[in-house]
Amino acid sequence: MAIVTLKELLTSASEKKVSVGAFSVGNMEMVLGAVRAAEELNTPIILQIAEVRLPTSPLDIIGPMMVAAAENSEVDICVHLDHGLNYETVEQALDLGFSSVMLDGSLLPIEENIELTQEVVELASEYGASVEAELGVVGGNEGGGKTHEIQCTDPLSAIKFCLETNIDALAVAIGNAHGNYPVAPKLRFDVLKAINAACKTPLVLHGGTGITPEDFQECIRNGIRKTNIATASFDAVTNAAKAMCNADGVNYFKLSQAMQDAVYENVKKHIKIFNMETI
Ligand code: 13P
């Protein structure tokens, strides 16, 4: 199979009424574990990395690894820059062969978010790549820094945003937040339904870690076509490494395999939910 754009994957997901899992990666074990799960379930996925992760996983090193994993995979894979913070990073990701990018303008006033996103859409089109943008504010934070208050996406603004930017995917804020939820989230399905009724653009759910399978599937029934999972995979790797370090006869190779296996299990579990399998 091949590296494909986000648009291609989300068009197919819309037809099948499923969501594509977007799995954050930070090292080779995470890439290999995610791809193994996708191949075993014969399901396309998105491999992504957020700009805040680049100090520990430099884009010029991990980016080519993600692209190679996608190109060599038995399933279609989109390679996506998640929460880009700078135009230059978006450009670097596109130069490395990423098939989708996001420059997060969600904290800007809507007109500035639109203008920034239009520039990214124009740039990405030169590479044949897709664009995701966010409107409203998803809570928590993606990798340290300030915690954001949730501001649900306004459905009317979503129509204007999608029409004026021509993006391929819209990340919505419906009570979701990045990181581990301190209390179980109460997702605003009323807001999601209103956005989905108003907007033709495929919708994205960030902050997937800690959302119940039932809530994931209700989101998918209401237009979510890309679902992001980061913290659950990072925690799985960390916990696997901790357990390994206390085990007898541990060596680097067993540690590497344990980290890959932990991500594989987490990704596999989520793909089944996103494929609308009965839980
Ligand atoms: P979690 O870390 O909560 O899974 O969120 C992932 C995400 O939305 C990445 O952008």
Side-chain angles (χ1 to χ4, degrees), residues 74-221:
E74 289 167 14
V75 293
D76 284 338
I77 294 183
C78 164
V79 179
H80 175 74
L81 177 72
D82 186 32
H83 293 287
L85 303 172
N86 297 288
Y87 186 85
E88 293 70 29
T89 310
V90 169
E91 209 165 19
Q92 188 190 2
L94 290 166
D95 281 336
L96 288 169
F98 279 42
S99 54
S100 178
V101 289
M102 171 189 196
L103 182 53
D104 185 353
S106 61
L107 295 176
L108 299 170
I110 183 167
E111 291 303 340
E112 287 177 43
N113 192 358
I114 287 174
E115 217 171 287
L116 186 73
T117 304
Q118 283 169 337
E119 285 173 32
V120 175
V121 169
E122 197 179 319
L123 176 69
S125 73
E126 292 170 22
Y127 294 80
S130 304
V131 175
E132 173 184 337
E134 178 174 320
L135 188 65
V137 180
V138 170
N141 63 59
E142 174 62 44
K146 194 170 161 286
T147 295
H148 306 305
E149 287 297 315
I150 296 170
Q151 283 171 34
C152 280
T153 307
D154 169 46
L156 289 180
S157 305
I159 305 178
K160 173 183 162 73
F161 190 85
C162 291
L163 284 177
E164 292 187 21
T165 59
N166 201 22
I167 48 170
D168 302 294
L170 177 69
V172 293
I174 55 164
N176 46 326
H178 293 112
N180 286 309
Y181 290 92
V183 289
K186 282 200 172 60
L187 296 183
R188 291 286 305 273
F189 291 111
D190 56 330
V191 175
L192 178 60
K193 283 178 186 172
I195 301 167
N196 190 35
C199 255
K200 294 267 173 289
T201 308
L203 305 177
V204 182
L205 184 71
H206 282 242
T209 298
I211 291 180
T212 63
E214 292 75 17
D215 278 1
F216 275 133
Q217 295 195 341
E218 184 61 6
C219 285
I220 296 166
R221 281 189 280 275

